[in-house]
Amino acid sequence: MSPRIAVVGASGYAGGEAVRLVTAHPDLELGAVTAGGNAGRRLGEIHPHLRAVADVVLEETTPEVLVGHDAVILALPHGHSAALAAALPDETVVVDCGADHRLADAAAWDAFYDTPHAGTWPYGLPELALADGARGRDALAGATRIAVPGCYPTAVTLALAPGLAAGVIAPEDVVVVAASGTSGAGKGLKPHLLGAEVMGAMSPYGVGGVHRHTPEIEQNLTRAAGAPVTVSFTPTLAPMSRGILATCTARIAPGADAAAVRKAWAAAYADEPFVELLPEGAWPRTSDVLGANLALVQVVVDDRVGRVVAVAAIDNLTKGTAGAAVQCINLALGLPERAGLPTIGVAP
């Protein structure tokens, strides 16, 4: 019998993407789908594209509904996952797409969030290159509690971690400017996300080191470098529904050159099914990863200023959230890591 997977918060964008991937997965069975205010409605009313499960009715989110599933995907707003996860059996694989369990430093959590720190779970970025030569996936096989990374941290970490782990970039002066589609802000109605406000415009937000993903990015890059890393992170809103393009720069380490930089990224991702280092001269585009559990990466050295430039593109709802959740479930349940996860995008 295939493992049964429940999706909590299935009426949102991330939850809907999780339902899409689980429904198409050859080794998983979709179980309960739950919501808050949308409980009682048909899934097809909210996500018309999910034709195969359009008549499934969203249930109330309660532990009683979720008990008995092999895995539960929590696609909830920040601060809402911890209490629900605590009410589920220890043997149930719980994968949290929110931020509640990502940060190891309670002080960092308190500085950026307004709820109590809920503790730290194994971090669900399998491809994360660590300073000791290990990978993030080493902590995920058999895990029953997993924190899915944020979408921006996924793109930025995959862009920069190989260079920090290999020691070819310096940790002291890392600058990131990243553009995201509007779905990253969730499905709630917000005036600044109306089509009339977004179309034809790009705008920065969370400027000045205040975006909540900043400590998570620094945590990941510190683990890669084996030394503290500080990041200047500026997110921007782009007139597209899905996708993240992260442009990241850092000083090249003394003694490193363009060949060493290229070698570090090539070695890090040579055997990774969901991260691709593009051929020299080709650049990542968000349109090429639409709907795919894939990160496209490119890296070059700007010799004139002595900086490495690394660029990554992901779909924030797939590799950035729901695809990562399914990838982690595959690892936790002992399924093939690639199962049910597309790497081919949709164009145009």
Side-chain angles (χ1 to χ4, degrees):
M1 180 179 295
S2 298
R4 293 181 70 243
I5 314 300
V7 178
V8 177
S11 60
Y13 288 135
E17 184 75 347
V19 171
R20 179 179 78 89
L21 294 172
V22 171
T23 300
H25 197 295
D27 302 316
L28 299 178
E29 176 188 346
L30 181 67
V33 292
T34 78
N38 287 307
R41 297 179 65 185
R42 293 171 52 253
L43 199 57
E45 294 179 56
I46 299 167
H47 298 300
H49 64 293
L50 299 177
R51 309 298 300 171
V53 289
D55 290 331
V56 172
V57 176
L58 290 157
E59 301 182 58
E60 294 280 354
T61 301
T62 66
E64 293 74 21
V65 169
L66 302 175
V67 167
H69 289 83
D70 297 281
V72 176
I73 298 173
L74 302 179
L76 295 171
H78 305 324
H80 289 73
S81 298
L84 184 59
L88 297 177
D90 292 342
E91 64 270 18
T92 302
V93 175
V94 181
V95 180
D96 184 9
C97 294
D100 293 27
H101 302 94
R102 295 172 187 161
L103 296 182
D105 184 352
W109 173 270
D110 292 340
F112 284 83
Y113 294 90
D114 55 6
T115 59
H117 186 234
T120 309
W121 290 357
Y123 191 73
L125 187 57
E127 303 89 354
L128 174 57
L130 302 172
D132 62 1
R135 290 296 169 101
R137 68 170 47 82
D138 297 344
L140 302 179
T144 60
R145 297 292 188 270
I146 298 173
V148 174
C151 50
Y152 279 126
T154 295
V156 175
T157 302
L158 294 177
L160 288 172
L164 290 162
V168 297
I169 59 177
E172 299 87 4
D173 182 20
V174 178
V175 179
V176 176
V177 177
S180 174
T182 56
S183 62
K187 205 170 185 179
L189 296 178
K190 303 175 181 69
H192 73 284
L193 297 180
L194 292 172
E197 302 293 332
V198 173
M199 288 186 297
M202 286 193 68
S203 56
Y205 66 100
V207 181
V210 299
H211 193 279
R212 287 176 166 179
H213 284 173
T214 301
E216 185 182 346
I217 292 170
E218 293 183 340
Q219 173 178 280
N220 292 355
L221 298 183
T222 294
R223 293 181 68 198
V229 177
T230 55
V231 177
S232 172
F233 172 52
T234 303
T236 64
L237 186 66
M240 58 186 182
S241 60
R242 302 165 72 125
I244 287 178
L245 187 72
T247 302
C248 316
T249 75
R251 285 184 289 170
I252 193 167
D257 57 16
V261 167
R262 183 79 188 179
K263 181 179 179 181
W265 268 259
Y269 295 136
D271 298 319
E272 290 293 350
F274 299 118
V275 186
E276 181 180 344
L277 177 64
L278 293 174
E280 294 185 61
W283 290 95
R285 306 188 305 172
T286 57
S287 57
D288 295 332
V289 294
L290 184 65
N293 192 61
L294 180 68
L296 297 179
V297 178
Q298 183 59 282
V299 62
V300 297
V301 175
D302 184 342
D303 287 316
R304 190 178 66 85
V305 295
R307 295 187 73 85
V308 173
V309 181
V311 180
I314 64 169
D315 183 323
N316 58 293
L317 293 179
T318 314
K319 182 57 177 163
T321 309
V326 173
Q327 187 177 348
C328 290
I329 287 173
N330 285 344
L331 289 165
L333 295 180
L335 299 172
E337 186 174 346
R338 303 184 187 200
L341 292 168
T343 56
I344 298 174
V346 177

